Amino acid sequence: RNKCLVSDSANLVFIDRPNIVITKDTVLCVDKPTLQLTTNTPGGIWSVQGVNPTTGLVTIANAKIGENVFTYTHSPNTTCEQRLSVKITIKDPGSTIVLGGDIAICDTGLSTYQLIGFSPSNGMWSGPNITASGLINVSLLKRDTAYNYTYKIFDVQASDCSASKSIAFRVNSLP
């Protein structure tokens, strides 16, 4: 009496988790506008500030200087969910340059003038009558004329990554 029989069937299909590969850890310069993160298994979601979650396009200006960790999640909220992370380090060599202010000296007969107080020390100076280490041949400069000197540094960890800042230098004639 009141025996009820209910039956149903289902097919279970077991799928292999894909072997996901994403962009390798990278160091790049802040002057690059974008970086495309890649994966061999589209359809997942990229996360962290500065990245388009669907396309993986990183806008460098929206990321932070230094180390950024971007995570790719494939098949989120399922038993097949996989998360992989990539470290992108953004370098800004210009943030470390310290030069001080413009310089004006009186013509006292000096033949050279050494620029000092700049950092980091691994940069190179350029401009009229100056050595890479910042020694100006004052005897070759016109008096009462401003000259621009540029200090340039390179970040060897990021390809084509450099920055520069300039100062003005002037030799004033004696009154």
Side-chain angles (χ1 to χ4, degrees), residues 71-92:
T71 301
Y72 181 72
T73 305
H74 186 266
S75 300
N77 303 315
T78 70
T79 57
C80 293
E81 179 177 310
Q82 294 182 68
R83 291 177 184 255
L84 287 93
S85 295
V86 58
K87 180 173 66 172
I88 306 297
T89 303
I90 301 172
K91 297 290 196 162
D92 183 7

Side-chain angles (χ1 to χ4, degrees), residues 40-53:
N40 65 336
T41 53
I45 298 170
W46 289 97
S47 63
V48 170
Q49 177 182 342
V51 65
N52 180 302

Side-chain angles (χ1 to χ4, degrees), residues 25-38:
D25 291 352
T26 304
V27 177
L28 61 117
C29 198
V30 69
D31 66 353
K32 307 294 185 234
T34 59
L35 172 69
Q36 180 65 59
L37 300 176
T38 59

Side-chain angles (χ1 to χ4, degrees), residues 45-65:
I45 298 170
W46 289 97
S47 63
V48 170
Q49 177 182 342
V51 65
N52 180 302
T54 306
T55 65
L57 185 66
V58 179
T59 303
I60 302 305
N62 294 338
K64 67 180 175 116
I65 302 301

Side-chain angles (χ1 to χ4, degrees), residues 44 110 145:
L110 288 175
T145 302

